[in-house]
Amino acid sequence: MSYTYTALEKLKDYNGKGWHVALFVLALVFLWLGTKEKEHKKLFTGYSILFAILYFCPVTAKIIMKYCVEEQVYWRMLWLLPIPLVLAYAGVQLIQKFSKKTAKAGVFLLLAVVLIAGGNNMYLGTG
């Protein structure tokens, strides 16, 4: 079995039915295209791209799966992604693009609903 295919399967297992990985990618695209702060843009997008290259590269995936962690727990590498930080930062950047307080509140509520609807209730165990 290809190590890249295994890494993709682990990503699918990590994501489950949630939207957080898709929201993370959208947030990275928004930060890259829609923000002017170069330091944060380079930090978040650069780290995430470097991580993706290391995670999906067959050579590094094989080394990590064989010698660092087992294949069954390779998905835990995805915990190294700054998903909450990037989503929060991109949300703040999006809200700041609006000048009226009502528009800011509406965007905030919309983002909150998307985050809540995109997850799974951990207490119900339906994820």
Side-chain angles (χ1 to χ4, degrees), residues 40-103:
H40 296 115
K41 181 190 305 190
K42 288 179 183 177
L43 176 68
F44 288 135
T45 57
Y47 173 80
S48 300
I49 290 170
L50 179 64
F51 178 85
I53 290 169
L54 291 174
Y55 184 81
F56 291 110
C57 176
V59 175
T60 57
K62 179 179 179 178
I63 291 169
I64 294 170
M65 282 186 213
K66 280 194 159 202
Y67 302 110
C68 298
V69 298
E70 294 183 16
E71 184 178 320
Q72 292 81 12
V73 294
Y74 188 64
W75 63 274
R76 291 183 183 172
M77 294 279 299
L78 295 167
W79 288 349
L80 297 173
L81 284 172
I83 293 175
L85 295 173
V86 170
L87 290 179
Y89 184 72
V92 168
Q93 291 296 315
L94 180 63
I95 290 169
Q96 286 181 347
K97 290 202 176 280
F98 294 90
S99 58
K100 294 183 179 180
K101 288 186 179 182
T102 54

Side-chain angles (χ1 to χ4, degrees), residues 17-18 20 115-127:
K17 296 177 184 175
H20 59 280
L115 283 174
I116 292 168
N120 296 319
N121 189 333
M122 62 186 236
Y123 298 111
L124 296 178
T126 58

